[in-house]
Amino acid sequence: MAGDSFVIEGGHRLEGQVRTSGNKNATVHAMAATLLTPEDCYLENVPAIGDVRFMVEILRALGATVEHTSPSSLRINASRIHTLAAPSELATHLRGSFLVMGPLLARFGEAACCPPGGDIIGLRPLDVHLVGFQMLGADVSRDGEKYIARAKGLHGSRIFLDYPSVIGTQNLMLAATLAKGHTTLVNAASEPEITCLAQMLNQMGAQIAGAGTHTIEIDGVGELHGITYRIIPDRIEAGTLAIAAAITQGEVEVLEGVPRQLDALLWKLREAGVQIEERNGNLRVRRKGDLKAINAQAVPYPGLATDLQAPLAALLTQASGVSSIYERVFDNRLLYVGELRKLGAEMTNSGTTAIITGPTPLIGASVRAVDLRAGAALVLAALAAKGKSQISDIYHLDRGYEALDQKLRSLGAVVERV
Ligand code: EPU
């Protein structure tokens, strides 16, 4: 709910097992992909989070039927699309809303959407998407707040992406799937969410090769069919839970902790002194004793995920020495530094680099979740702080973490939603 806060009493060691939910971003991407077919699509392992609820509303506003067949499954049918413009009041809630552009353009020859919302974490341009649509044969214009793309028929093309944007790559992949001929995306993003989307599209009848590398080859097909698809586990949630274990000197097994998608984080955690075992796709995380300072940089996959740099910074407040975190993906994603300082962290923010001196005892305080991952960093710090912390604006956390308070409580944390 909009005005909710978490009240966390820190100092409790986390112990036990917890399961990772379905991947937030992969779910939003998959929901957009269902617009490519008039047939029923069933998505499983869908997390109950705010971003999914907004995306459900967007698809319904376009004319799709969306129903929950269970709390974690959706049936989506896009056979009766009646408008090709995403409503701005919904699209401004999440970045992934712009992903309706590629499928609508490919299937109906027209699509419109305003610059999408999401966290305020720096400039988030759309040139990769828009130039790519033009390369596929679309006219792109601006009508008031909305971008409009129109095409009499898309054709394949060789497209260099100026930056390996995640949803930029996906929008072009979605559009090229139904374009005539062959498309090559050069300098494509290689995040696991790209591979997941390509896998889903191929099961729907698309011809996509190379997803997971920086060159993706797509042979356009005439149509796609319905599918039942299980969303992959959320690597960012798994990483956040692993850090929760470490910051509380606990011992936690994260089931479906996707260690093979978390190489960079696990490498850094081990370097700092956290013990990690990987078994059958699960992660066992244990911390006994002191941590040491490390340097890390957030870069595109397989480097350290930008979505995990704020949580890692929270942990490094407990490491001995001077650590640094260099954010190289977004230009304004260190807003959490000021909030962590209110809890006693000794940190500076030079714009894109956080310098952290530790270990500092953290002390409960009132702080604000300024964005989704900043909120996660505050929750983590509060778990390790002495006394009570109140974290306001947790609607940001509810947008992206399924039942985070319940999961933490199941591990022994004292967390209340007020
Ligand atoms: N960029 C461009 N031109 C573009 C698009 C992006 O220069 O046309 C630049 C951005 O300015 C930024 C960088 O590319 O500096 C990365 O942005 P990207 O487009 O890759 O991010 P995104 O696709 O908008 C997705 C996730 C983010 C995640 C990033 C990076 C979704 C819905 N969002 O965003 O998730 O941080 O990839 O991995 O998939 C989150 O979950 O907290 C979150 C913000």
Side-chain angles (χ1 to χ4, degrees), residues 24-25 29 95-96 119 121 123-129 163 165-167 306-307 329-330 333 372-373:
K24 163 179 94 86
N25 289 335
H29 309 156
R95 180 77 178 168
D119 290 323
I121 52 184
L123 267 186
R124 298 182 82 176
L126 295 164
D127 53 297
V128 166
H129 307 240
Y163 187 95
S165 157
V166 173
I167 65 164
T306 165
D307 300 340
V329 178
F330 292 105
R333 215 178 190 183
L372 169 58
R373 308 302 174 188

Side-chain angles (χ1 to χ4, degrees), residues 228-272:
T228 297
Y229 192 75
R230 187 173 170 81
I231 305 291
I232 56 172
D234 195 312
R235 63 192 169 105
I236 306 300
E237 186 202 13
T240 306
L241 293 167
I243 295 172
I247 203 166
T248 61
Q249 309 210 40
E251 181 164 356
V252 170
E253 186 168 22
V254 185
L255 303 175
E256 296 200 75
V258 283
R260 290 297 145 92
Q261 296 177 14
L262 282 171
D263 280 307
L265 177 75
L266 302 184
W267 188 268
K268 287 289 147 189
L269 290 179
R270 286 188 174 114
E271 192 184 330

Side-chain angles (χ1 to χ4, degrees), residues 25-26 28-30 99 102-103 129 161 165-176 185 189 191-198 201:
N25 289 335
V28 170
H29 309 156
L99 277 180
H129 307 240
L161 283 71
S165 157
V166 173
I167 65 164
T169 300
Q170 292 178 326
N171 238 340
L172 301 183
M173 207 160 85
L174 289 160
L185 302 179
E191 272 67 6
E193 292 76 20
I194 306 276
T195 315
C196 170
L197 181 66
L201 291 170

